Amino acid sequence: MLNRFCFVALALLGCVCLYAQNPVMVMESSFKVKANDTVSYYFSFAAGDQIVLDFSENNGLTLKQVEVIELPNVVKYNEHRVGDIENKVIAVPKTAVYEFRFSNPTLVGHSCDVRIQRIPKNRSTQDFNTSWKWRTMYDTTYVYQTEDSIVGYDSIPYVEVQRELVSDELSEQMLADNVVEVKAVGIVKKDNPRDYVKFSLPVNREDENKTTEVVAWAYWVAVGKNAASVWSKNKSLTKSAVKQVAKWVGVASPLAALALGVGVDLLIPDENKVDNVQYALMSSANDCNAFMKGGEYRAYQKGFGTGGYGRIDKANMLQGTHYIGLYNDNYHSSIRVNVKVSAIVETKTYQDVRYERIRVKPRYVPVNRTKMQVRSWQERVPEGY
């Protein structure tokens, strides 16, 4: 009987001590926790405080988890499948920020009420500020490592070999110099009033110390007995034009001046207006065969009259075999057609040149060093700290 009286007396004494100070309201609110969501509230508490937590789920359901955590990571209370919490008392051993976490990892939302109170240890903490602030925290560590340190330099001689251009020259290669007799159609005896001149451009080459490349080519077509004399006049007109080209070597024809693009206008026969020729430049043997048979063909240049000329410098037309088709529209007389073609070839010559060089190489020795590493992060702390 005495033991029972002592137990009751001690229990009443504990209750009197627990509620010696009036509870102070920290938070009282209704809130919702959405599906697959977590709601957290943060408050500061003073050392010696008693936290009193009340919670209820308003739809008759249970919330998956309710936690009270002393930051940064001390769990003071953890309850699963919570429907109601009444007057849950949590002791605060030291001043800190507490997180009240309500987790709902389900597909159903919850409507909740919460009330958080604090019972101060004594009157000195009655008006404690429960708000908090962010503070930047720092953690400094020292790492010991070995690094190479420069203590001097060494000069090391060596030979550098460079491939350098020795000469860059332009020259002419005559590809065609033909006089072609193109027959007439004829009234009784039917002949083929078509013929052609075939030529191949020099193949671009690249050797160890030399490259050759076709940079342009030109052609001249003329009809009549006076074609040769007209060509001689062209020679006299274009001699000085080619001399303007610094890279030129050797003797140049009027076609070289035309292919180089130095601004010359070649002459063509104009005395005999009766004899004319229709010509076509083709790059395919199939097109040339079609031309010879009077069928459809593709040509990249065409002309008609007593003659004509042109310059070709497109990259896709500077290699391979080409054809100049000739057609005589005269029914009675054959015609003699003078066809000339020249290509301009650029030749570059290289040689290996040796140069004496000096390379500066640093000398290192290992040195032990201490490196400071500072890590920073943000942490919630009570407002007054």
Side-chain angles (χ1 to χ4, degrees):
M1 187 70 176
L2 180 59
N3 289 338
R4 184 180 299 175
F5 174 78
C6 292
F7 175 79
V8 173
L10 289 172
L12 290 173
L13 180 60
C15 292
V16 170
C17 292
L18 179 62
Y19 294 98
Q21 296 292 327
N22 293 325
V24 178
M25 184 64 68
V26 177
M27 173 190 176
E28 185 172 18
S29 178
S30 297
F31 64 97
K32 292 184 179 180
V33 187
K34 296 179 181 179
N36 293 315
D37 198 7
T38 297
V39 175
S40 291
Y41 298 100
Y42 299 88
F43 300 101
S44 297
F45 292 90
D49 276 357
Q50 299 284 335
I51 300 173
V52 182
L53 174 64
D54 293 278
F55 168 83
S56 63
E57 206 285 338
N58 296 328
N59 296 325
L61 304 174
T62 58
L63 190 64
K64 181 67 175 178
Q65 187 176 28
V66 176
E67 296 174 276
V68 179
I69 303 168
E70 178 188 311
L71 298 184
N73 52 17
V74 180
V75 178
K76 308 297 286 188
Y77 175 73
N78 185 2
E79 189 70 31
H80 293 268
R81 298 189 180 279
V82 182
D84 294 286
I85 300 174
E86 293 185 7
N87 294 327
K88 176 61 183 177
V89 178
I90 302 168
V92 178
K94 63 177 182 179
T95 301
V97 177
Y98 279 69
E99 177 185 1
F100 297 82
R101 184 184 300 169
F102 304 91
S103 303
N104 177 28
T106 67
L107 300 177
V108 179
H110 291 273
S111 176
C112 307
D113 288 334
V114 66
R115 181 173 63 187
I116 302 171
Q117 301 177 84
R118 57 178 289 266
I119 301 176
K121 179 180 180 181
N122 49 50
R123 292 185 178 181
S124 64
T125 58
Q126 180 74 27
D127 298 325
F128 180 80
N129 187 354
T130 58
S131 59
W132 56 272
K133 64 182 179 181
W134 286 110
R135 175 185 289 175
T136 302
M137 311 299 290
Y138 298 94
D139 181 28
T140 303
T141 57
Y142 295 89
V143 179
Y144 298 94
Q145 59 187 24
T146 300
E147 296 180 353
D148 290 333
S149 178
I150 298 176
V151 295
Y153 297 88
D154 296 324
S155 297
I156 303 173
Y158 71 99
V159 175
E160 181 181 359
V161 180
Q162 293 185 355
R163 187 169 183 256
E164 296 185 356
L165 181 66
V166 177
S167 63
D168 187 358
E169 299 175 341
L170 295 173
S171 59
E172 178 184 14
Q173 290 191 25
M174 203 75 178
L175 306 182
D177 189 0
N178 302 55
V179 177
V180 182
E181 184 172 350
V182 184
K183 297 178 181 179
V185 176
I187 297 177
V188 178
K189 181 182 177 181
K190 300 293 183 178
D191 290 319
N192 189 356
R194 301 171 186 273
D195 210 332
Y196 68 92
V197 173
K198 174 183 177 181
F199 61 93
S200 296
L201 291 161
V203 179
N204 294 341
R205 299 186 182 278
E206 183 174 356
D207 300 325
E208 183 178 355
N209 293 318
K210 181 181 288 187
T211 63
T212 58
E213 181 182 7
V214 178
V215 295
W217 59 275
Y219 66 90
W220 183 76
V221 176
V223 180
K225 297 179 180 180
N226 64 337
S229 62
V230 172
W231 183 249
S232 296
K233 292 180 181 179
N234 282 329
K235 286 183 179 180
S236 62
L237 291 173
T238 58
K239 281 183 179 180
S240 60
V242 178
K243 293 181 180 179
Q244 301 173 18
V245 181
K247 299 179 183 180
W248 187 259
V249 293
V251 179
S253 75
L255 285 180
L258 178 63
L260 289 168
V262 293
V264 297
D265 292 322
L266 300 186
L267 301 174
I268 57 174
D270 60 356
E271 296 177 2
N272 185 357
K273 299 294 184 181
V274 176
D275 294 335
N276 294 297
V277 64
Q278 178 180 323
Y279 63 88
L281 274 67
M282 299 162 286
S283 59
S284 164
N286 291 334
D287 288 320
C288 183
N289 291 334
F291 172 84
M292 291 296 296
K293 295 176 182 179
E296 294 185 1
Y297 62 92
R298 292 172 299 176
Y300 54 88
Q301 277 197 17
K302 291 182 179 181
F304 177 78
T306 58
Y309 56 87
R311 173 178 184 262
I312 310 297
D313 62 354
K314 291 184 178 180
N316 62 337
M317 305 302 294
L318 299 181
Q319 290 290 274
T321 300
H322 297 256
Y323 308 82
I324 300 180
L326 306 171
Y327 172 66
N328 178 12
D329 63 354
N330 194 315
Y331 276 85
H332 303 284
S333 302
S334 62
I335 57 174
R336 292 173 60 83
V337 185
N338 195 312
V339 179
K340 298 181 185 294
V341 181
S342 281
I344 303 300
V345 178
E346 183 175 22
T347 303
K348 294 182 179 180
T349 304
Y350 300 87
Q351 70 178 13
D352 291 335
V353 181
R354 297 166 60 89
Y355 292 95
E356 301 290 335
R357 307 289 193 195
I358 298 294
R359 178 186 297 113
V360 178
K361 181 180 179 181
R363 279 184 283 116
Y364 298 93
V365 295
V367 176
N368 294 324
R369 300 186 186 277
T370 302
K371 186 176 181 181
M372 184 176 69
Q373 295 180 342
V374 179
R375 181 176 67 92
S376 64
W377 69 96
Q378 293 281 39
E379 190 173 288
R380 292 178 176 87
V381 297
E383 181 66 39
Y385 279 59

